[in-house]
Amino acid sequence: MRHRFAWRTLAGMTRFRLADFLPYQLSVASNAVSRAVATGTGYESRFGLTAAEWRVLAAVTAAGQPSQVELGEATGMDKMTISRAVAGLSTRRLIDRVRDTGDRRTLRLSPTAEGRRIHDIVAPQALEVEKRLLATLSPGEAEALRTALAHLLQACAKP
């Protein structure tokens, strides 16, 4: 589906077409993939998790005991989104927050037994959705996509 948003051009400038703008395309694709994972795994309907909560739960489970700052650095999620997700997961006792012994100002996050149980149900299903989506690409296209995304992330990290 191509959206047709365009702005008038200034003299000599190329016409801006939102549908052709890379950040917009990445956002639309990311949202579509997130919806496919949510639907394919049922993390929303079965466990009441938002996309941000699922991402945080998955990242915390993978990382061991990250801080919220470390989660932001690893996931690219903004502080407020992480904070809300952590609060929701903590209230529902899916993650624990424990003071760092080396820095009492820092809270370390870890999944609870219930959080790990949900992760262990959803993660394999998420991988199946990923497999299904990647099956629409040739192996070369899938590798090129991963390579291109890595290059874009690298380019964005440069000042």
Side-chain angles (χ1 to χ4, degrees):
M1 167 170 73
R2 294 200 44 100
H3 302 278
R4 298 286 174 202
F5 296 103
W7 279 260
R8 293 179 188 251
T9 60
L10 298 173
M13 291 183 65
T14 53
R15 187 175 193 123
F16 181 82
R17 293 190 186 279
L18 185 58
D20 297 331
F21 187 52
L22 180 63
Y24 178 78
Q25 291 173 334
L26 290 171
S27 177
V28 170
S30 175
N31 289 336
V33 169
S34 291
R35 280 191 306 276
V37 171
T39 301
T41 63
Y43 70 68
E44 285 178 320
S45 60
R46 292 171 60 202
F47 302 110
L49 296 175
T50 66
E53 288 171 338
W54 163 244
R55 286 185 193 122
V56 167
L57 181 61
V60 166
T61 302
Q65 289 190 319
S67 68
Q68 286 184 209
V69 170
E70 291 165 346
L71 274 181
E73 292 168 355
T75 65
M77 295 169 69
D78 66 82
K79 286 190 246 184
M80 220 35 214
T81 301
I82 290 173
S83 180
R84 285 188 194 117
V86 165
L89 292 167
S90 181
T91 297
R92 293 173 47 215
R93 296 192 170 111
L94 299 179
I95 62 169
D96 282 327
R97 295 187 270 195
V98 178
R99 293 247 174 249
D100 186 305
T101 55
D103 180 356
R104 303 291 297 160
R105 298 168 297 171
T106 302
L107 292 173
R108 295 278 164 197
L109 308 171
S110 61
T112 63
E114 179 65 4
R116 190 172 298 284
R117 183 188 76 78
I118 290 171
H119 174 272
D120 291 349
I121 291 169
V122 174
Q125 295 170 345
L127 290 172
E128 283 300 313
V129 173
E130 177 191 50
K131 183 178 174 183
R132 180 177 52 80
L133 293 173
L134 289 174
T136 65
L137 304 174
S138 72
E141 288 171 327
E143 182 61 31
L145 174 61
R146 290 186 188 277
T147 300
L149 290 172
H151 286 287
L152 287 171
L153 284 172
Q154 240 178 357
C156 290
K158 294 179 183 175

